[in-house]
Amino acid sequence: MNSAGHSEATAPRGLELTPFRGLRYDPDRVGSIAAVTSPPYDVVVRPDGLHHLQDADPHNIVRLILPQATTPAARNEQAADTLRSWLAEGVLAADPEPALYVYEQRHADGMLQRGLIGTLRVSEPSAGVVLPHEDVMPHVVADRAALMRATHANLEPLLLTYRGDGTAAEVVERAAEGAPLLSTTTEDGFGHRLWAVTDPDEVARVQHDLAGHQALIADGHHRWATYLRLRAEHASPSPWDRGLVLLVDTARYPLRVRAIHRLLHDLPVARALAAVEGLFRVRRLAVPLPEALDALAGAAAEGNAFLLAGDGDGFHLLDRPDPALLERTVPADRPEAWRTLDATVLHAALLAHVWRVPEDDPARIGYIHDTAATVEKARQEGGTAVLMHPVREEVVRDLARQGVTMPRKSTSFGPKPASGLVLRALDV
């Protein structure tokens, strides 16, 4: 590996966002823009969601971000071949000039999010510019790195948040007054619009503003870790010095924070409950999912709490963990805010010591964003769904600033950018 030119002595002092020539679908060559989009690769509930997306349009982006073949090498080569084919056919084409892209997501429930898509200079966490808040799984980073190497592309932006002072947000809002490059509504009810900012003065205003800020990784820890790995493999300067991101100013557009749930594939609920007897208070809830989640929220306000499901129509609420269990299982060398996280207690006490489920073994545990889908899958396969209550954004940001990472898959910030609206080819 060659990591020349990547020392922290030359690390950026703040966020350095650069225009690029985005790859976008030609609307005349696909059924619709909505039909070729997808949630981020790690949000697609497989296999049902994958098949649904593949069937939506033969050019759906899922064929690039989640290619299907018998081996990893074959999958990556298939994605590379597909991308080359779509470029040759004009299904995807590069915009004529580099731009920062203003991206808007809007929902009828009142949610409005706007941000900037560009290429961001990659920096180590020690530089204090881009702050991770979760650990990553090495096998996922290796998988994403192999896909990016094969396609020579950033296929979907990760989501970063920062607390701005208004200058970049003003550029965003001015752009949103004009005619968009595209406008579509996806089946989840979100409207998506995209604008290009190419005026050098407007780009300079954005860059000057961002240079004084740091960002929190809201979604895409594995992709950021992949950017770091690929940058280290190439002598600088190279296209791998930057990665595709969506930056959202949460002072202007607050995100929603949701939980990521666990699916324990080979642990039946009865066995999970037997193992926690005497270690947690357990209550059976014979109520629908929304009411069970309300009960979870109430219990979580008082301390650590989890909902188990998978053995029928009801739920099991676990709360009031035995202090002695926490004393002997939760590491004591971290801040109190970290030691009391539900995800910390789940991973350190329940998964590692009580249920003995390895957190990084995909055959034993799955991480699913959709609550109802987690419950349904547990009931179908006879496993256990562990439903979590979300962490507040200020807790996440505070821990990240202290350099403390949360257990993997602790949070789900959203709305997440739809994949397929704008891509980056590194050789364009």
Side-chain angles (χ1 to χ4, degrees):
M1 287 191 182
N2 189 335
S3 56
H6 301 313
S7 71
E8 289 307 327
T10 59
R13 289 172 294 176
L15 299 166
E16 188 179 316
L17 195 68
T18 304
F20 71 107
R21 292 179 64 199
L23 287 185
R24 296 191 296 111
Y25 282 98
D26 181 342
D28 294 331
R29 294 179 179 270
V30 297
S32 71
I33 295 298
V36 295
T37 65
S38 164
Y41 79 96
D42 59 337
V43 182
V44 176
V45 179
R46 291 167 272 188
D48 300 347
L50 179 69
H51 295 154
H52 172 72
L53 291 163
Q54 287 178 330
D55 293 343
D57 189 283
H59 301 107
N60 190 284
I61 190 68
V62 79
R63 297 180 184 274
L64 299 181
I65 63 175
L66 289 173
Q68 298 300 293
T70 54
T71 67
R75 288 195 295 270
N76 296 328
E77 187 56 39
Q78 181 184 93
D81 289 344
T82 299
L83 178 57
R84 283 191 291 267
S85 173
W86 290 356
L87 288 169
E89 296 167 7
V91 173
L92 286 169
D95 282 334
E97 58 182 321
L100 296 178
Y101 295 87
V102 170
Y103 175 45
E104 176 189 278
Q105 291 165 280
R106 187 188 294 268
H107 197 274
D109 65 5
M111 181 73 192
L112 173 64
Q113 178 174 291
R114 287 176 178 154
L116 285 159
I117 297 176
T119 63
L120 189 72
R121 180 171 291 280
V122 176
S123 60
E124 299 287 345
S126 58
V129 177
V130 176
L131 305 175
H133 68 268
E134 289 183 358
D135 293 331
V136 296
M137 292 175 271
H139 74 275
V140 177
V141 176
D143 174 75
R144 291 295 100 183
L147 179 63
M148 288 189 203
R149 285 190 207 99
T151 58
H152 211 68
N154 299 153
L155 300 171
E156 47 187 347
L158 53 88
L159 175 62
L160 304 180
T161 74
Y162 74 104
R163 304 287 292 179
D165 52 20
T167 302
E170 290 168 3
V171 173
V172 166
E173 288 165 15
R174 277 196 294 273
E177 294 173 357
L181 296 173
L182 65 84
S183 179
T184 192
T185 300
T186 45
E187 62 181 14
D188 57 5
F190 272 95
H192 306 264
R193 295 197 293 172
L194 196 73
W195 297 263
V197 177
T198 57
D199 180 82
D201 291 337
E202 292 286 71
V203 171
R205 288 186 186 97
V206 169
Q207 292 176 327
H208 184 266
D209 185 18
L210 293 178
H213 294 287
Q214 62 181 188
L216 176 74
I217 301 177
D219 185 71
H221 282 81
H222 290 90
R223 279 167 283 168
W224 186 257
T226 300
Y227 292 167
L228 285 166
R229 175 180 291 194
L230 293 172
R231 182 194 66 161
E233 294 175 0
H234 298 82
S236 184
S238 85
W240 299 101
D241 291 344
R242 300 179 179 277
L244 187 63
V245 305
L246 166 64
L247 265 172
V248 174
D249 179 356
T250 54
R252 187 69 63 97
Y253 298 106
L255 272 69
R256 293 172 176 171
V257 188
R258 293 189 169 93
I260 302 176
H261 310 295
R262 276 62 171 163
L263 176 59
L264 310 183
H265 297 294
D266 58 358
L267 180 67
V269 174
R271 189 143 51 90
L273 291 172
V276 300
E277 185 175 353
L279 300 175
F280 282 77
R281 181 174 69 167
V282 180
R283 288 175 285 167
R284 168 106 180 150
L285 304 177
V287 297
L289 177 58
E291 292 180 34
L293 292 174
D294 288 342
L296 174 62
E302 304 295 327
N304 300 119
F306 311 94
L307 268 183
L308 305 191
D311 62 343
D313 295 332
F315 300 87
H316 305 272
L317 180 61
L318 276 58
D319 65 355
R320 299 185 183 178
D322 178 9
L325 171 68
L326 304 185
E327 179 76 21
R328 68 175 183 268
T329 60
V330 176
D333 60 346
R334 304 286 183 89
E336 176 74 9
W338 182 89
R339 287 186 283 116
T340 55
L341 288 170
D342 286 340
T344 297
V345 172
L346 173 64
H347 283 251
L350 285 170
L351 292 180
H353 289 273
V354 177
W355 293 329
R356 300 192 181 280
V357 175
E359 63 181 19
D360 56 358
D361 182 353
R364 303 283 302 281
I365 185 171
Y367 297 85
I368 303 179
H369 294 72
D370 186 275
T371 309
T374 310
V375 173
E376 181 59 28
K377 282 186 165 293
R379 288 172 177 166
Q380 288 176 354
E381 64 182 48
T384 295
V386 183
L387 306 185
M388 311 279 288
H389 187 68
V391 183
R392 300 191 315 278
E393 180 180 355
E394 55 266 32
V395 173
V396 177
R397 193 176 295 276
D398 183 58
L399 286 172
R401 284 177 174 153
Q402 296 179 58
V404 178
T405 55
M406 299 167 64
R408 60 196 57 173
K409 299 293 184 181
S410 293
T411 59
S412 176
F413 284 85
K416 304 178 191 306
S419 297
L421 298 180
V422 59
L423 295 66
R424 177 201 180 207
L426 274 73
D427 49 6
V428 170

